[in-house]
Amino acid sequence: MITSVLVANRGEIACRIVRTCRELGIRTVTVHSDADENALHARVADATVRLPGAAPAETYLRADLIVKAALDAGADAIHPGYGFLSENPAFARAVLDAGLVWIGPPPEAIEAMASKTRAKKLMGLEALPLHKVTEDDLPVLVKAAAGGGGRGMRVVRDLAALEDELTAARAEALSAFGDGEVFVEPYVEGGRHVEVQILADSHGTVWPLGTRDCSLQRRHQKVVEEAPAPGLTSELTDSLYAMAVRAARAVDYVGAGTVEFLVSGDTAHFLEMNTRLQVEHPVTEAVFGVDLVALQIRVAEGCALEALENDPPRAQGHAIEARLYAEDPAHAWAPQTGTLHRLTVPDGVRLDTGYADGDPIGVHYDPMLAKVVAHAPTRAEALRKLAAALERADIHGPTTNRDLLVRSLRHEEFTTARMDTGFYDRHLPALTGSAPDPYAPLAAALAAAHGRSRFGGWRNLPSQPQVKRYAVAGEEHEVHYQHTRQGLTAEGVRVVRATSDLVILEVDGVQRRFEVSRYGDQVHVNNTTLTALPRFPDPTAHHAPGSLLAPMPGTVVRVAEGLSEGAQVEEGQPLLWLEAMKMEHRITAPATGTLTALHAVPGRQVQVGALLAVVQAPL
């Protein structure tokens, strides 16, 4: 019996594993980098061990330090979570060689599936259908052989761009995974990403635990997942189950894993096998009523699945998961940093997170804040429940993708299950273009005015309206209000009530409530985030036309080959790349002209707003 587990991970998945271990009566140990010293996963475990440094290569990717931490802390097993070392066969062997229990598949199974190119060859021998590239297969997808999460992936629609995209993909894959091998496969327009959850024991039993659809993706990373995958025929579902079981048996798989397919119509092709727990595993747990982490632990202890149940559990209802990211979808999905002041969701949905109120969101790791999961008897009910929960959630801090998620879940193409992996390519502008609540700046101003009114805001003599300025979604709003005998009045709207944290306005005979929270210059009014502006703009806050400013804090990883001051550049030409929160972000020329200044140097860390370069357009 396992008595103590070290979780070789961080953030949301580490907290989630700790939660199950506590329910099973198992002691927990976590590891933390210096950047994560006060992170939630370091606080909730029974013990935690420091990994000196901040970069993943120095910390969460150091197999030797993690095994030593487990031994020093008295753990007898290691759970790798997902990402980092979870699919590293050398790490699995090191855990076993140290006499510890590895809560995962055998190293040989991980190794067989670790490279997508080797995995495809192996599955071809098992007669699983594969995509094959021909000269006429444009567009194609360039993919990293050793990793996932959208890194090292490029869609190429023009043959002339293939060589440059191969070079870029190799560089990103090498940086992210330490392996620059890439391969090319056909890119299927309108394809769906469908996967099968499997669970296998060491006694020869393999359970297929339903399908999941993960087609809503940005930058080849999943955003919304659901179980079961909607719209599949029973014949196709049975075929996917059979192929997933065959793939597991081909490598003598043990534990939880996922076999991924590209589905087009009634045809499915093998993509890859993830030899670990998936980020989206909660939707399967909700539908089948199981705890996959608990089952992983029992399988690692040698338990036979048939000893738990004679048959695989049966699916009940529908579950949908949305990944909440600290990012700005309207501006190239730029990751955001800062303090997460508050994160709460209504009762009735599941929240998996690695953050607590007041925690900082840094630059070193993935920008995912949480996963919100809704389960209901039908897909339509689960959709409605999840969209409403996200809409009513309190998310105070940096910009997030919350509004995008709500609009995605209510989009006709998604509600009718006609989505595919190109959903955001088609609909992103419409999904990010909605205006914020027009009464939010007024509510913010009235709440601020209430605080001052306690010190004598009303005067017997008539006075000019007070003015406050706010920035909302890049636009400036000026609000006028007055203190009168009747209380606060504002812009023809009846103020029913105004306190420092609650404003009630009557608009066209309907009373509306606005909850107001302040954190320095940042004001949250219901779902709208505002920034209080000084009454008079700072005349020194100015950059020359054509200035390229860092859209996020990060590290300059590359500058375009041969680029130097004085070079002629074209509008949209890639100039440099920033790495932030595990993703590379391309910075392009804002106009055709001359590069008059280049301040970006590979390896240099920059803050948001830092001047990277200047491109001067012809007069």
Side-chain angles (χ1 to χ4, degrees):
M1 296 290 290
I2 293 171
T3 61
S4 178
V5 170
L6 180 137
V7 184
N9 218 294
R10 64 172 303 280
E12 170 268 324
I13 186 57
C15 294
R16 186 262 172 278
I17 294 167
V18 167
R19 184 171 68 244
T20 286
C21 286
R22 282 188 170 177
E23 292 172 356
L24 296 177
I26 295 173
R27 183 173 171 271
T28 56
V29 182
T30 56
V31 290
H32 68 269
S33 67
D34 289 339
D36 277 341
E37 182 179 6
N38 296 310
L40 184 61
H41 78 270
R43 306 198 302 263
V44 297
D46 296 304
T48 187
V49 179
R50 174 186 175 231
L51 303 176
E58 302 173 308
T59 54
Y60 298 109
L61 292 174
R62 284 287 301 273
D64 56 336
L65 296 183
I66 292 173
V67 171
K68 182 178 185 300
L71 296 173
D72 291 346
D76 49 25
I78 288 182
H79 194 305
Y82 55 71
F84 293 127
L85 293 169
S86 62
E87 294 181 280
N88 186 309
F91 178 53
R93 289 192 180 98
V95 171
L96 295 171
D97 290 345
L100 301 169
V101 176
W102 169 248
I103 304 176
E108 295 76 17
I110 301 174
E111 195 162 46
M113 294 294 185
S115 166
K116 294 180 178 64
T117 50
R118 292 196 302 272
K120 284 177 178 289
K121 290 178 182 177
L122 176 61
M123 292 302 100
L125 295 176
E126 293 295 320
L128 267 66
L130 307 175
H131 266 303
K132 296 181 180 180
V133 180
T134 70
E135 293 181 359
D136 300 322
D137 273 327
L138 286 174
V140 295
L141 185 64
V142 179
K143 299 176 71 173
R151 285 162 289 171
M153 295 180 69
R154 302 284 193 282
V155 177
V156 181
R157 301 180 184 278
D158 182 356
L159 195 60
L162 181 58
E163 192 59 40
D164 287 344
E165 295 293 6
L166 283 169
T167 299
R170 289 188 189 105
E172 189 174 354
L174 185 63
S175 172
F177 314 117
D179 185 341
E181 181 187 357
V182 298
F183 66 98
V184 177
E185 66 182 14
Y187 180 69
V188 178
E189 305 278 7
R192 291 176 58 188
H193 187 126
V194 177
E195 57 192 33
V196 176
Q197 173 72 56
I198 61 162
L199 186 69
D201 62 22
S202 57
H203 304 276
T205 299
V206 181
W207 284 352
L209 292 179
T211 58
R212 295 188 290 251
D213 188 292
C214 311
S215 296
L216 257 62
Q217 302 178 6
R218 53 83 162 125
R219 301 186 66 169
H220 309 294
Q221 285 188 311
K222 301 165 187 173
V223 177
V224 176
E225 304 102 342
E226 58 182 306
L232 302 184
T233 64
S234 58
E235 293 79 10
L236 180 56
T237 299
D238 290 343
S239 175
L240 292 171
Y241 283 177
M243 288 190 286
V245 171
R246 203 154 72 238
R249 294 194 186 282
V251 293
D252 296 324
Y253 199 81
V254 176
T258 297
V259 185
E260 301 192 351
F261 300 91
L262 183 65
V263 173
S264 180
D266 290 331
T267 303
H269 293 90
F270 171 81
L271 282 177
E272 60 184 286
M273 182 177 185
N274 291 311
T275 54
R276 54 169 168 80
L277 198 65
Q278 291 280 88
V279 179
E280 57 272 23
H281 74 273
V283 293
T284 297
E285 293 184 321
V287 167
F288 283 89
V290 298
D291 183 329
L292 287 173
V293 173
L295 290 171
Q296 283 183 297
I297 292 172
R298 288 176 176 133
V299 166
E301 290 176 326
C303 181
L305 293 176
E306 291 180 350
L308 303 175
E309 295 189 42
N310 291 330
D311 297 302
R314 297 177 63 84
Q316 298 287 334
H318 202 96
I320 305 177
E321 170 183 292
R323 301 190 193 186
L324 184 67
Y325 286 102
E327 65 184 13
D328 187 352
H331 294 89
W333 311 97
Q336 307 290 298
T337 59
T339 301
L340 182 64
H341 299 291
R342 187 187 304 170
L343 175 58
T344 61
V345 296
D347 293 338
V349 295
R350 170 174 168 175
L351 178 70
D352 283 13
T353 182
Y355 290 91
D357 292 356
D359 282 352
I361 303 167
V363 301
H364 299 286
Y365 311 111
D366 188 275
M368 189 175 76
L369 300 179
K371 303 180 305 194
V372 186
V373 186
H375 180 230
T378 67
R379 183 176 189 266
E381 290 175 282
L383 270 174
R384 182 175 62 189
K385 186 176 181 180
L386 181 57
L390 287 166
E391 190 172 49
R392 295 170 184 162
D394 289 331
I395 307 169
H396 298 172
T399 299
T400 72
N401 67 334
R402 181 256 296 276
D403 291 346
L404 175 79
L405 293 172
V406 173
R407 295 168 194 150
S408 299
L409 293 169
R410 290 173 174 166
H411 192 280
E412 183 185 10
E413 196 171 296
F414 191 79
T415 59
T416 55
R418 292 183 290 111
M419 66 287 178
D420 56 55
T421 55
F423 180 84
Y424 287 123
D425 294 335
R426 295 189 298 274
H427 302 302
L428 186 61
L431 293 169
T432 57
S434 299
D437 192 319
Y439 293 99
L442 177 57
L446 294 173
H450 168 80
R452 285 194 299 279
S453 67
R454 291 174 294 175
F455 300 99
W458 178 76
R459 291 183 292 176
N460 193 38
L461 297 175
S463 63
Q464 295 296 315
Q466 300 293 305
V467 179
K468 275 198 147 313
R469 297 168 57 244
Y470 293 95
V472 187
E475 296 184 0
E476 184 177 318
H477 294 257
E478 195 171 83
V479 180
H480 300 259
Y481 63 90
Q482 283 181 296
H483 293 279
T484 69
R485 290 177 184 272
Q486 289 75 37
L488 285 166
T489 63
E491 301 185 356
V493 175
R494 189 169 89 86
V495 182
V496 179
R497 181 182 178 188
T499 69
S500 59
D501 56 8
L502 175 65
V503 173
I504 302 177
L505 303 177
E506 187 174 291
V507 181
D508 297 329
V510 178
Q511 292 188 8
R512 297 185 55 198
R513 295 170 58 90
F514 298 86
E515 295 183 1
V516 183
S517 300
R518 294 179 173 275
Y519 309 94
D521 291 336
Q522 192 178 79
V523 187
H524 291 268
V525 180
N526 290 353
N527 289 345
T528 300
T529 303
L530 309 91
T531 301
L533 300 175
R535 186 172 180 183
F536 302 104
D538 182 0
T540 65
H542 177 72
H543 286 283
S547 295
L548 278 171
L549 307 181
M552 68 208 73
T555 303
V556 179
V557 290
R558 284 187 292 142
V559 173
E561 187 175 356
L563 189 68
S564 61
E565 293 181 2
Q568 298 300 304
V569 298
E570 299 290 329
E571 181 179 355
Q573 176 182 335
L575 302 181
L576 57 103
W577 288 261
L578 285 180
E579 185 179 86
M581 295 183 171
K582 295 173 62 180
M583 293 295 293
E584 280 195 2
H585 304 268
R586 184 168 58 181
I587 309 299
T588 62
T592 298
T594 304
L595 184 70
T596 59
L598 180 61
H599 300 286
V601 177
R604 176 178 293 173
Q605 290 191 335
V606 296
Q607 297 301 313
V608 63
L611 182 62
L612 301 173
V614 179
V615 176
Q616 184 174 334
L619 298 177

